[in-house]
Amino acid sequence: MLAEKQVQCRCGQVISMNSKKTWCDKCCRPVFYYEKDRKKDKLNNYYLLAVMALVFGFLSYLFVEMIAVPLLSISL
């Protein structure tokens, strides 16, 4: 357990917390005890978004190369 600390959420609500992470009751966003944990969470969200975009792009590429192009060449 950590010492009790008052932390303000991005929505403006003040939360007293004694753990590393908790959720805001008003806006349902995570609130962190340490600033470095908030930055790490933000970086993790960007990383996850980039990986999902790459996977979606790769699957789109496979669809075009293996399904769409052969189907178009058959109909000509």
Side-chain angles (χ1 to χ4, degrees):
M1 295 295 261
L2 301 169
E4 190 80 18
K5 181 179 179 181
Q6 298 288 330
V7 179
Q8 186 172 5
C9 180
R10 290 188 284 177
C11 68
Q13 182 173 351
V14 177
I15 301 169
S16 67
M17 55 190 304
N18 56 359
S19 61
K20 287 187 174 185
K21 178 182 175 182
T22 189
W23 296 89
C24 178
D25 296 330
K26 188 175 179 183
C27 66
C28 298
R29 290 184 181 148
V31 180
F32 297 95
Y33 191 87
Y34 297 114
E35 184 69 20
K36 67 176 183 169
D37 291 338
R38 186 187 65 80
K39 290 179 181 177
K40 193 183 301 184
D41 182 64
K42 189 175 182 180
L43 183 63
N44 188 30
N45 288 339
Y46 286 142
Y47 175 74
L48 182 63
L49 183 63
V51 168
M52 288 173 51
L54 286 172
V55 167
F56 180 72
F58 180 70
L59 291 176
S60 299
Y61 170 76
L62 286 179
F63 173 77
V64 168
E65 288 294 321
M66 295 190 162
I67 297 172
V69 171
L71 284 178
L72 289 175
S73 66
I74 290 173
S75 64
L76 290 175

